[in-house]
Amino acid sequence: MTTARDNMTPHAECIGENESALLAAHKMAELGVGALPICGEDERLEGVLTDRDIVVKVLAADKDPAGIKAGELAQGEAVTIGADDDASEVLRTMSEHKVRRLPVTDGHTLVGMVAQADVARALPGPAVGDLLDVLSSG
């Protein structure tokens, strides 16, 4: 079975916890991604910021994206997957936490991101269908 490392997009770029939501939006557009890991001053993962978070929690709430820090938008403990965990564990974690993207870590070091589409390419059809059902119902 393949691992998270085999399926991830390597070299994920963080947004600093003290950087603005506006900078995060610009970075997402520049990189062509819909989510960025939020990293603390110590480079530890603090959470994940999505384009939807910016739209719903900042823009729709009439807040200034230049005045909101990425770290303020992180919720709870970050859900991650180990680089050497197999694809079935990635699927289980995504399903359990109802997330479409997972930061991939090797110890405490962020090494990449794995997305629903990455998992879909790695797993047999029925397993992917189950993941899509879980994510679509949440």
Side-chain angles (χ1 to χ4, degrees):
M1 171 107 4
T2 62
T3 65
R5 189 185 310 271
D6 297 328
N7 295 298
M8 71 182 190
T9 300
H11 314 296
E13 288 195 34
C14 282
I15 188 73
E17 67 182 340
N18 293 315
E19 293 181 299
S20 73
L22 180 62
L23 180 61
H26 285 295
K27 198 171 206 179
M28 285 180 198
E30 177 186 312
L31 297 171
V33 298
L36 289 172
I38 302 169
C39 292
E41 297 294 325
D42 59 359
E43 291 302 312
R44 287 195 183 244
L45 187 66
E46 300 291 329
V48 175
L49 179 64
T50 67
D51 47 8
R52 187 176 196 290
D53 291 331
I54 294 170
V55 170
V56 173
K57 297 175 185 173
V58 180
L59 300 177
D62 292 324
K63 295 179 181 174
D64 176 12
I68 300 289
K69 294 181 179 180
E72 294 175 45
L73 301 171
Q75 291 185 351
E77 192 172 324
V79 178
T80 64
I81 194 75
D84 297 319
D85 289 346
D86 66 40
S88 64
E89 180 65 15
V90 175
L91 174 70
R92 188 197 65 71
T93 302
M94 285 181 163
S95 296
E96 179 180 323
H97 295 279
K98 295 187 178 186
V99 295
R100 290 177 166 80
R101 302 169 188 98
L102 286 172
V104 180
T105 58
D106 191 348
H108 291 291
T109 304
L110 177 70
V111 294
M113 290 283 284
V114 65
Q116 176 181 330
D118 301 325
V119 178
R121 287 189 287 274
L123 292 173
V128 173
D130 292 344
L131 172 62
L132 293 174
D133 285 344
V134 167
L135 294 178
S136 295
S137 67

